[in-house]
Coordinates of all heavy atoms in Angstrom, one line a residue:
T1057 N -13.1 -2.2 -3.1 CA -13.6 -1.9 -4.4 C -15.2 -2.2 -4.3 O -16.0 -1.6 -5.0 CB -13.0 -2.8 -5.5 OG1 -13.1 -4.2 -5.1 CG2 -11.6 -2.4 -5.7
R1058 N -15.5 -3.2 -3.4 CA -17.0 -3.5 -3.3 C -17.8 -2.4 -2.7 O -18.9 -2.1 -3.2 CB -17.2 -4.8 -2.4 CG -18.6 -5.3 -2.4 CD -18.6 -6.6 -1.7 NE -19.9 -7.2 -1.8 CZ -20.9 -7.0 -0.9 NH1 -20.8 -6.1 0.0 NH2 -22.1 -7.5 -1.1
T1059 N -17.2 -1.7 -1.7 CA -17.9 -0.6 -1.1 C -18.1 0.5 -2.2 O -19.1 1.2 -2.2 CB -17.0 -0.1 0.1 OG1 -16.9 -1.1 1.0 CG2 -17.7 1.1 0.7
A1060 N -17.0 0.8 -2.9 CA -17.2 1.8 -4.0 C -18.3 1.5 -5.0 O -19.0 2.3 -5.4 CB -15.8 2.0 -4.7
A1061 N -18.4 0.2 -5.4 CA -19.4 -0.2 -6.3 C -20.8 0.0 -5.7 O -21.7 0.5 -6.3 CB -19.2 -1.7 -6.7
L1062 N -20.9 -0.4 -4.4 CA -22.2 -0.2 -3.7 C -22.6 1.2 -3.6 O -23.8 1.6 -3.7 CB -22.2 -0.8 -2.4 CG -22.1 -2.4 -2.3 CD1 -21.9 -2.9 -0.9 CD2 -23.4 -3.0 -2.9
R1063 N -21.6 2.1 -3.5 CA -21.9 3.6 -3.4 C -21.9 4.3 -4.7 O -22.0 5.5 -4.8 CB -20.9 4.2 -2.4 CG -20.9 3.8 -1.0 CD -19.9 4.4 -0.2 NE -20.0 4.0 1.2 CZ -19.1 4.2 2.1 NH1 -18.0 4.9 1.8 NH2 -19.3 3.8 3.3
Q1064 N -21.7 3.4 -5.8 CA -21.7 4.0 -7.2 C -20.5 5.1 -7.2 O -20.8 6.1 -7.8 CB -23.0 4.5 -7.6 CG -24.0 3.4 -7.7 CD -25.4 3.9 -8.1 OE1 -25.6 5.1 -8.3 NE2 -26.2 2.9 -8.4
Q1065 N -19.4 4.7 -6.7 CA -18.2 5.6 -6.7 C -17.1 4.9 -7.5 O -17.1 3.7 -7.7 CB -17.7 6.0 -5.3 CG -18.8 6.7 -4.5 CD -18.3 6.9 -3.1 OE1 -17.5 6.2 -2.6 NE2 -18.9 7.9 -2.4
R1066 N -16.1 5.7 -7.8 CA -14.9 5.1 -8.5 C -14.2 4.2 -7.5 O -14.1 4.5 -6.3 CB -13.9 6.2 -8.9 CG -14.4 7.0 -10.1 CD -13.3 7.9 -10.4 NE -12.8 8.6 -9.2 CZ -11.7 9.3 -9.2 NH1 -10.9 9.4 -10.2 NH2 -11.3 9.9 -8.1
P1067 N -13.7 3.0 -8.0 CA -12.9 2.2 -7.0 C -11.5 2.8 -6.8 O -11.1 3.7 -7.5 CB -12.7 0.9 -7.8 CG -12.9 1.3 -9.3 CD -13.8 2.5 -9.3
P1068 N -10.9 2.5 -5.7 CA -9.6 3.0 -5.4 C -8.6 2.7 -6.5 O -8.7 1.7 -7.2 CB -9.1 2.4 -4.1 CG -10.2 1.3 -3.8 CD -11.3 1.5 -4.7
V1069 N -7.6 3.6 -6.7 CA -6.6 3.4 -7.7 C -5.7 2.3 -7.2 O -5.2 2.3 -6.0 CB -5.8 4.7 -7.9 CG1 -4.6 4.5 -8.8 CG2 -6.7 5.8 -8.4
P1070 N -5.3 1.3 -8.0 CA -4.5 0.2 -7.6 C -3.0 0.8 -7.4 O -2.6 1.5 -8.3 CB -4.5 -0.9 -8.7 CG -5.1 -0.2 -9.8 CD -5.9 1.0 -9.3
W1071 N -2.3 0.4 -6.4 CA -1.0 0.8 -6.2 C -0.1 -0.2 -6.8 O -0.2 -1.4 -6.7 CB -0.7 0.9 -4.7 CG -1.5 1.9 -4.0 CD1 -2.7 1.7 -3.4 CD2 -1.3 3.3 -4.0 NE1 -3.2 3.0 -3.0 CE2 -2.4 3.9 -3.3 CE3 -0.2 4.1 -4.4 CZ2 -2.4 5.3 -3.1 CZ3 -0.3 5.5 -4.2 CH2 -1.4 6.1 -3.5
R1072 N 1.1 0.2 -7.4 CA 2.0 -0.6 -8.1 C 3.1 -1.2 -7.1 O 3.8 -2.1 -7.4 CB 2.7 0.1 -9.2 CG 1.7 0.4 -10.3 CD 2.5 1.0 -11.4 NE 1.5 1.4 -12.5 CZ 1.8 1.9 -13.6 NH1 3.0 2.2 -13.9 NH2 0.9 2.1 -14.5
Q1073 N 3.2 -0.5 -5.9 CA 4.2 -0.9 -4.9 C 3.6 -0.6 -3.6 O 2.7 0.2 -3.5 CB 5.5 -0.1 -5.2 CG 5.4 1.3 -4.9 CD 6.2 2.2 -5.8 OE1 6.1 2.2 -7.0 NE2 7.1 2.9 -5.1
P1074 N 4.2 -1.2 -2.5 CA 3.7 -0.8 -1.2 C 3.8 0.7 -1.0 O 4.9 1.2 -1.3 CB 4.6 -1.6 -0.2 CG 5.1 -2.7 -1.1 CD 5.2 -2.2 -2.5
T1075 N 2.8 1.3 -0.4 CA 2.8 2.8 -0.3 C 2.3 3.1 1.1 O 1.2 2.7 1.5 CB 1.9 3.4 -1.4 OG1 2.4 3.0 -2.7 CG2 1.8 4.9 -1.3
F1076 N 3.1 4.0 1.8 CA 2.7 4.6 3.0 C 2.2 6.0 2.8 O 2.9 6.7 2.1 CB 3.9 4.6 4.0 CG 4.3 3.2 4.5 CD1 5.3 2.5 3.8 CD2 3.7 2.6 5.6 CE1 5.7 1.2 4.3 CE2 4.1 1.3 6.0 CZ 5.0 0.7 5.3
I1077 N 1.1 6.3 3.3 CA 0.6 7.6 3.2 C 0.6 8.3 4.6 O -0.2 7.7 5.5 CB -0.9 7.7 2.5 CG1 -0.8 7.1 1.2 CG2 -1.4 9.1 2.6 CD1 -2.2 7.0 0.5
V1078 N 1.3 9.3 4.8 CA 1.4 9.9 6.1 C 0.5 11.1 6.2 O 0.4 11.9 5.3 CB 2.9 10.3 6.5 CG1 3.7 9.1 6.6 CG2 3.4 11.2 5.5
H1079 N -0.3 11.1 7.3 CA -1.2 12.2 7.5 C -0.6 13.4 8.2 O -1.1 14.5 8.1 CB -2.4 11.7 8.3 CG -3.3 10.8 7.6 ND1 -4.7 11.0 7.7 CD2 -3.0 9.7 6.8 CE1 -5.2 10.0 6.9 NE2 -4.3 9.2 6.4
E1080 N 0.6 13.3 8.8 CA 1.3 14.4 9.4 C 2.8 14.3 9.0 O 3.4 13.2 9.1 CB 1.1 14.4 11.0 CG -0.3 14.5 11.4 CD -0.5 14.2 12.9 OE1 0.1 13.2 13.4 OE2 -1.2 15.0 13.5
A1081 N 3.4 15.4 8.7 CA 4.8 15.3 8.2 C 5.7 14.7 9.2 O 6.7 14.0 8.8 CB 5.2 16.8 7.8
E1082 N 5.5 14.9 10.5 CA 6.4 14.3 11.5 C 6.4 12.8 11.6 O 7.2 12.3 12.2 CB 6.2 15.0 12.9 CG 4.8 14.7 13.4 CD 3.9 15.9 13.1 OE1 4.1 16.7 12.2 OE2 2.8 15.9 13.7
L1083 N 5.5 12.2 10.9 CA 5.4 10.8 10.9 C 6.2 10.1 9.7 O 6.3 8.9 9.7 CB 3.9 10.3 10.8 CG 3.0 10.7 12.0 CD1 1.6 10.3 11.7 CD2 3.5 10.0 13.2
K1084 N 6.7 10.9 8.9 CA 7.5 10.4 7.7 C 8.7 9.5 8.1 O 8.8 8.4 7.6 CB 8.0 11.5 6.8 CG 8.6 11.0 5.5 CD 9.1 12.1 4.6 CE 9.7 11.5 3.4 NZ 10.7 10.5 3.5
P1085 N 9.5 9.9 9.2 CA 10.6 9.0 9.6 C 10.0 7.6 10.1 O 10.7 6.6 9.8 CB 11.2 9.7 10.7 CG 10.9 11.1 10.5 CD 9.6 11.2 9.9
C1086 N 8.9 7.6 10.7 CA 8.3 6.3 11.1 C 7.9 5.5 9.9 O 8.1 4.3 9.8 CB 7.1 6.6 12.0 SG 6.3 5.1 12.7
A1087 N 7.3 6.2 8.9 CA 6.9 5.4 7.7 C 8.1 4.9 6.9 O 8.1 3.8 6.4 CB 6.0 6.3 6.8
D1088 N 9.2 5.7 6.9 CA 10.4 5.2 6.3 C 10.9 4.0 7.0 O 11.4 3.0 6.3 CB 11.5 6.3 6.3 CG 11.1 7.5 5.4 OD1 10.5 7.3 4.3 OD2 11.6 8.6 5.7
A1089 N 10.9 3.9 8.3 CA 11.3 2.8 9.1 C 10.5 1.5 8.8 O 11.0 0.4 8.6 CB 11.4 3.1 10.5
L1090 N 9.2 1.8 8.7 CA 8.3 0.7 8.4 C 8.5 0.1 7.0 O 8.5 -1.1 6.8 CB 6.8 1.1 8.5 CG 6.3 1.4 9.9 CD1 4.9 2.1 9.9 CD2 6.2 0.1 10.7
G1091 N 8.8 1.0 6.1 CA 9.2 0.6 4.7 C 10.4 -0.3 4.7 O 10.5 -1.3 3.9
Q1092 N 11.4 0.1 5.5 CA 12.6 -0.8 5.6 C 12.3 -2.2 6.2 O 12.8 -3.2 5.7 CB 13.7 -0.1 6.5 CG 14.2 1.1 5.9 CD 15.3 1.8 6.7 OE1 15.5 1.5 7.9 NE2 15.9 2.8 6.2
L1093 N 11.3 -2.3 7.1 CA 10.9 -3.6 7.6 C 10.3 -4.4 6.5 O 10.4 -5.6 6.4 CB 9.9 -3.4 8.7 CG 10.5 -2.9 10.0 CD1 9.4 -2.7 11.0 CD2 11.5 -4.0 10.6
L1094 N 9.6 -3.8 5.6 CA 8.9 -4.6 4.5 C 10.0 -5.1 3.5 O 9.7 -6.1 2.8 CB 8.0 -3.6 3.6 CG 6.6 -3.3 4.2 CD1 5.9 -2.5 3.2 CD2 5.8 -4.6 4.4
Q1095 N 11.1 -4.6 3.5 CA 12.2 -5.0 2.6 C 13.1 -6.1 3.2 O 14.1 -6.4 2.6 CB 13.0 -3.8 2.0 CG 12.1 -3.0 1.1 CD 13.0 -1.9 0.5 OE1 13.4 -1.0 1.1 NE2 13.1 -2.2 -0.8
Q1096 N 12.8 -6.5 4.4 CA 13.7 -7.5 5.1 C 13.6 -8.8 4.3 O 12.6 -9.2 3.7 CB 13.2 -7.8 6.5 CG 13.3 -6.6 7.4 CD 14.8 -6.2 7.7 OE1 15.6 -7.1 7.9 NE2 15.1 -4.9 7.6
P1097 N 14.7 -9.6 4.3 CA 14.7 -10.9 3.6 C 13.6 -11.8 4.1 O 13.3 -11.8 5.3 CB 16.1 -11.4 3.9 CG 17.0 -10.3 4.2 CD 16.0 -9.3 4.8
G1098 N 13.0 -12.5 3.2 CA 11.9 -13.3 3.6 C 10.4 -12.6 3.6 O 9.5 -13.3 3.6
S1099 N 10.5 -11.3 3.5 CA 9.2 -10.6 3.4 C 8.6 -10.8 2.0 O 9.3 -10.9 1.0 CB 9.4 -9.1 3.7 OG 8.3 -8.3 3.3
A1100 N 7.3 -10.9 2.0 CA 6.6 -10.9 0.6 C 6.9 -9.7 -0.2 O 6.7 -9.8 -1.4 CB 5.1 -11.1 0.9
W1101 N 7.3 -8.6 0.4 CA 7.5 -7.4 -0.3 C 9.0 -7.0 -0.4 O 9.4 -5.9 -0.7 CB 6.8 -6.2 0.4 CG 5.3 -6.6 0.5 CD1 4.7 -6.9 1.6 CD2 4.4 -6.7 -0.5 NE1 3.3 -7.2 1.4 CE2 3.1 -7.1 0.0 CE3 4.4 -6.5 -1.9 CZ2 2.0 -7.2 -0.7 CZ3 3.3 -6.7 -2.7 CH2 2.0 -7.1 -2.1
A1102 N 9.9 -8.0 -0.1 CA 11.3 -7.7 -0.1 C 11.9 -7.1 -1.4 O 12.8 -6.3 -1.4 CB 12.1 -8.9 0.3
A1103 N 11.3 -7.5 -2.5 CA 11.7 -7.1 -3.8 C 11.1 -5.7 -4.2 O 11.5 -5.1 -5.2 CB 11.4 -8.1 -4.9
E1104 N 10.2 -5.2 -3.5 CA 9.5 -3.9 -3.8 C 10.0 -2.8 -3.0 O 10.1 -3.0 -1.7 CB 8.0 -4.1 -3.5 CG 7.3 -5.3 -4.2 CD 7.2 -5.0 -5.7 OE1 7.1 -3.8 -6.1 OE2 7.1 -6.0 -6.5
K1105 N 10.3 -1.7 -3.5 CA 10.7 -0.5 -2.8 C 9.5 0.3 -2.4 O 8.8 0.7 -3.3 CB 11.6 0.4 -3.6 CG 12.1 1.6 -2.8 CD 13.3 2.1 -3.3 CE 13.7 3.4 -2.6 NZ 13.8 3.4 -1.2
P1106 N 9.2 0.3 -1.1 CA 8.0 1.1 -0.7 C 8.1 2.6 -1.0 O 9.2 3.1 -1.0 CB 8.0 0.8 0.9 CG 8.8 -0.3 1.1 CD 9.9 -0.3 0.1
W1107 N 7.0 3.2 -1.2 CA 6.9 4.6 -1.5 C 6.3 5.3 -0.3 O 5.3 4.7 0.3 CB 6.1 4.8 -2.7 CG 6.0 6.2 -3.3 CD1 7.1 7.1 -3.3 CD2 4.9 6.9 -3.7 NE1 6.7 8.2 -3.9 CE2 5.3 8.2 -4.1 CE3 3.5 6.5 -4.0 CZ2 4.5 9.1 -4.7 CZ3 2.7 7.4 -4.5 CH2 3.2 8.7 -4.9
V1108 N 6.8 6.3 0.2 CA 6.2 7.1 1.3 C 5.8 8.5 0.7 O 6.6 9.2 0.1 CB 7.2 7.3 2.5 CG1 6.6 8.2 3.5 CG2 7.7 5.9 3.0
T1109 N 4.6 8.9 1.0 CA 4.0 10.1 0.5 C 3.1 10.8 1.5 O 2.6 10.1 2.3 CB 3.3 9.9 -0.9 OG1 3.0 11.1 -1.5 CG2 2.1 9.1 -0.8
A1110 N 2.9 12.0 1.3 CA 2.0 12.8 2.2 C 0.5 12.6 1.7 O 0.3 12.4 0.5 CB 2.3 14.2 2.2
L1111 N -0.4 12.7 2.6 CA -1.8 12.6 2.3 C -2.1 13.9 1.4 O -1.7 15.0 1.7 CB -2.7 12.7 3.5 CG -4.2 12.6 3.4 CD1 -4.6 11.2 3.0 CD2 -4.9 13.0 4.7
P1112 N -2.9 13.6 0.3 CA -3.2 14.8 -0.5 C -3.9 15.9 0.3 O -4.7 15.6 1.1 CB -4.1 14.2 -1.6 CG -3.8 12.8 -1.7 CD -3.4 12.4 -0.3
A1113 N -3.6 17.1 0.0 CA -4.2 18.2 0.8 C -5.8 18.3 0.6 O -6.5 18.8 1.5 CB -3.7 19.5 0.2
S1114 N -6.3 17.7 -0.4 CA -7.8 17.7 -0.6 C -8.5 16.7 0.3 O -9.7 16.8 0.4 CB -8.1 17.3 -2.1 OG -7.6 16.0 -2.4
L1115 N -7.7 15.8 1.0 CA -8.4 14.9 2.0 C -8.1 15.3 3.4 O -7.1 16.0 3.7 CB -7.7 13.5 1.7 CG -8.0 12.9 0.4 CD1 -7.3 11.6 0.2 CD2 -9.5 12.7 0.1
K1116 N -9.0 15.0 4.3 CA -8.9 15.3 5.7 C -7.9 14.4 6.5 O -8.1 13.2 6.5 CB -10.2 15.3 6.3 CG -10.2 15.8 7.8 CD -11.5 15.8 8.4 CE -11.4 16.3 9.8 NZ -12.3 16.1 10.8
A1117 N -6.9 15.0 7.0 CA -5.9 14.2 7.8 C -6.5 13.8 9.1 O -7.3 14.5 9.7 CB -4.6 15.0 8.0
Q1118 N -6.1 12.6 9.5 CA -6.4 12.0 10.9 C -5.1 12.0 11.7 O -4.1 11.6 11.3 CB -7.0 10.6 10.7 CG -8.1 10.4 9.9 CD -9.3 11.2 10.5 OE1 -9.6 11.1 11.7 NE2 -10.1 11.9 9.7
P1119 N -5.2 12.5 12.9 CA -4.1 12.6 13.8 C -3.4 11.2 14.0 O -4.1 10.2 14.0 CB -4.6 13.0 15.1 CG -6.0 13.6 14.9 CD -6.5 12.9 13.6
R1120 N -2.0 11.2 14.0 CA -1.3 10.0 14.2 C -1.6 8.8 13.3 O -1.7 7.7 13.8 CB -1.4 9.6 15.7 CG -0.9 10.6 16.7 CD -1.1 10.3 18.2 NE -2.5 9.8 18.5 CZ -3.5 10.6 18.9 NH1 -3.4 11.8 18.9 NH2 -4.7 10.0 19.2
T1121 N -1.8 9.1 12.1 CA -2.2 8.1 11.1 C -1.2 7.9 10.0 O -0.7 8.9 9.4 CB -3.6 8.4 10.5 OG1 -4.5 8.5 11.6 CG2 -4.1 7.4 9.5
I1122 N -0.9 6.6 9.7 CA 0.0 6.2 8.6 C -0.9 5.2 7.9 O -1.2 4.1 8.5 CB 1.3 5.7 9.0 CG1 2.2 6.7 9.7 CG2 2.0 5.2 7.7 CD1 3.4 6.2 10.2
E1123 N -1.2 5.3 6.6 CA -2.0 4.3 5.9 C -0.9 3.5 5.1 O 0.1 4.0 4.6 CB -2.8 5.0 4.8 CG -4.0 5.8 5.5 CD -4.8 6.4 4.3 OE1 -5.0 5.9 3.2 OE2 -5.3 7.6 4.6
L1124 N -1.2 2.2 5.0 CA -0.4 1.3 4.2 C -1.3 0.7 3.1 O -2.3 0.0 3.4 CB 0.2 0.1 5.0 CG 0.9 -0.9 4.3 CD1 2.0 -0.4 3.4 CD2 1.4 -2.0 5.2
W1125 N -1.0 1.0 1.9 CA -1.7 0.4 0.7 C -0.8 -0.6 0.0 O 0.4 -0.3 -0.3 CB -2.1 1.5 -0.2 CG -3.1 2.5 0.3 CD1 -3.0 3.5 1.2 CD2 -4.5 2.4 0.1 NE1 -4.1 4.1 1.5 CE2 -5.1 3.4 0.8 CE3 -5.3 1.6 -0.8 CZ2 -6.5 3.7 0.7 CZ3 -6.6 1.9 -0.8 CH2 -7.2 2.9 -0.1
L1126 N -1.3 -1.8 -0.2 CA -0.5 -2.8 -0.8 C -1.0 -3.1 -2.2 O -2.3 -3.1 -2.5 CB -0.5 -4.1 0.0 CG 0.1 -4.0 1.3 CD1 -0.2 -5.2 2.2 CD2 1.6 -3.8 1.3
P1127 N -0.2 -3.4 -3.2 CA -0.7 -3.8 -4.5 C -1.4 -5.1 -4.5 O -1.3 -5.9 -3.5 CB 0.6 -4.0 -5.3 CG 1.8 -3.9 -4.4 CD 1.2 -3.5 -3.1
A1128 N -2.3 -5.3 -5.4 CA -3.0 -6.6 -5.5 C -2.0 -7.7 -5.8 O -1.0 -7.5 -6.4 CB -4.0 -6.5 -6.7
P1129 N -2.2 -8.8 -5.1 CA -1.2 -9.9 -5.3 C -1.2 -10.5 -6.7 O -2.3 -10.5 -7.4 CB -1.7 -11.0 -4.3 CG -3.1 -10.7 -3.9 CD -3.3 -9.2 -4.2
Q1130 N -0.1 -10.8 -7.2 CA 0.1 -11.4 -8.5 C -0.2 -12.9 -8.5 O 0.2 -13.5 -7.5 CB 1.5 -11.1 -9.0 CG 1.9 -9.6 -9.2 CD 0.9 -8.9 -10.1 OE1 0.6 -9.4 -11.2 NE2 0.4 -7.8 -9.8
P1131 N -0.8 -13.4 -9.5 CA -1.0 -14.8 -9.5 C 0.3 -15.6 -9.5 O 1.3 -15.2 -10.1 CB -1.8 -15.1 -10.8 CG -1.7 -13.9 -11.6 CD -1.3 -12.7 -10.7
V1132 N 0.3 -16.7 -8.8 CA 1.5 -17.5 -8.8 C 1.5 -18.5 -9.9 O 0.5 -19.3 -10.0 CB 1.6 -18.3 -7.4 CG1 2.8 -19.2 -7.5 CG2 1.7 -17.3 -6.3
L1133 N 2.5 -18.5 -10.8 CA 2.5 -19.5 -11.9 C 3.2 -20.7 -11.4 O 4.3 -20.7 -10.9 CB 3.3 -18.9 -13.1 CG 2.7 -17.6 -13.7 CD1 3.6 -17.1 -14.8 CD2 1.3 -17.9 -14.2
R1134 N 2.5 -21.9 -11.5 CA 3.1 -23.1 -11.1 C 3.6 -23.8 -12.3 O 3.0 -23.9 -13.3 CB 2.0 -23.9 -10.4 CG 1.5 -23.2 -9.1 CD 0.4 -24.1 -8.6 NE -0.1 -23.3 -7.4 CZ -0.3 -23.8 -6.2 NH1 0.1 -25.0 -6.0 NH2 -0.8 -23.0 -5.2
Q1135 N 4.7 -24.5 -12.1 CA 5.3 -25.4 -13.0 C 4.5 -26.7 -13.1 O 4.2 -27.2 -12.1 CB 6.8 -25.7 -12.7 CG 7.6 -24.4 -12.6 CD 7.8 -23.8 -14.1 OE1 7.8 -24.5 -15.1 NE2 7.9 -22.5 -14.1
P1136 N 4.3 -27.2 -14.3 CA 3.6 -28.5 -14.4 C 4.5 -29.6 -13.7 O 5.7 -29.5 -13.9 CB 3.5 -28.8 -15.9 CG 4.2 -27.7 -16.6 CD 4.6 -26.7 -15.6
S1137 N 3.9 -30.5 -13.0 CA 4.6 -31.6 -12.4 C 5.1 -32.5 -13.4 O 4.5 -32.8 -14.4 CB 3.8 -32.3 -11.4 OG 2.7 -32.9 -11.9
K1138 N 6.3 -33.0 -13.2 CA 6.9 -34.0 -14.1 C 6.8 -35.4 -13.4 O 7.6 -35.8 -12.7 CB 8.4 -33.7 -14.3 CG 8.6 -32.3 -15.0 CD 10.1 -32.1 -15.2 CE 10.2 -30.7 -15.8 NZ 11.6 -30.3 -16.0
E1139 N 5.7 -36.1 -13.8 CA 5.5 -37.4 -13.3 C 5.4 -38.4 -14.4 O 5.1 -38.2 -15.5 CB 4.2 -37.5 -12.4 CG 4.4 -36.7 -11.2 CD 3.1 -36.7 -10.4 OE1 2.1 -37.5 -10.7 OE2 3.0 -36.0 -9.4

């Protein structure tokens, strides 16, 4: 977001869930497998179902590329200590 501000551009859209963007259709099975890894017990993203999508046609694809976009972390609410 800082780079966008410096360039006077729109900041990136925040993602609501982990999202894999595949640049080539044949990489989708790999992105699906990576998404399953994110859902392993103990993972910070275990409760989130990852989304796998193709790179928009308006953007230039890079060979052998899968992007991973993660949502902004949510603040942790702490319980007041009972002392």
Side-chain angles (χ1 to χ4, degrees):
T1057 57
R1058 185 172 189 274
T1059 302
L1062 290 172
R1063 293 181 180 167
Q1064 297 181 351
Q1065 296 174 338
R1066 287 183 316 165
V1069 175
W1071 297 94
R1072 293 183 181 182
Q1073 68 213 59
T1075 302
F1076 291 94
I1077 300 176
V1078 294
H1079 287 227
E1080 299 170 315
E1082 60 269 13
L1083 294 175
K1084 187 180 182 309
C1086 184
D1088 289 332
L1090 289 169
Q1092 289 177 356
L1093 287 175
L1094 281 181
Q1095 292 188 287
Q1096 295 295 314
S1099 164
W1101 305 106
E1104 304 286 333
K1105 178 154 177 54
W1107 187 42
V1108 177
T1109 188
L1111 182 74
S1114 61
L1115 299 175
K1116 183 178 181 198
Q1118 299 295 316
R1120 300 178 308 276
T1121 300
I1122 299 174
E1123 298 179 28
L1124 171 58
W1125 290 80
L1126 296 171
Q1130 298 298 314
V1132 176
L1133 300 177
R1134 297 179 187 232
Q1135 296 292 330
S1137 61
K1138 296 179 182 177
E1139 293 181 10

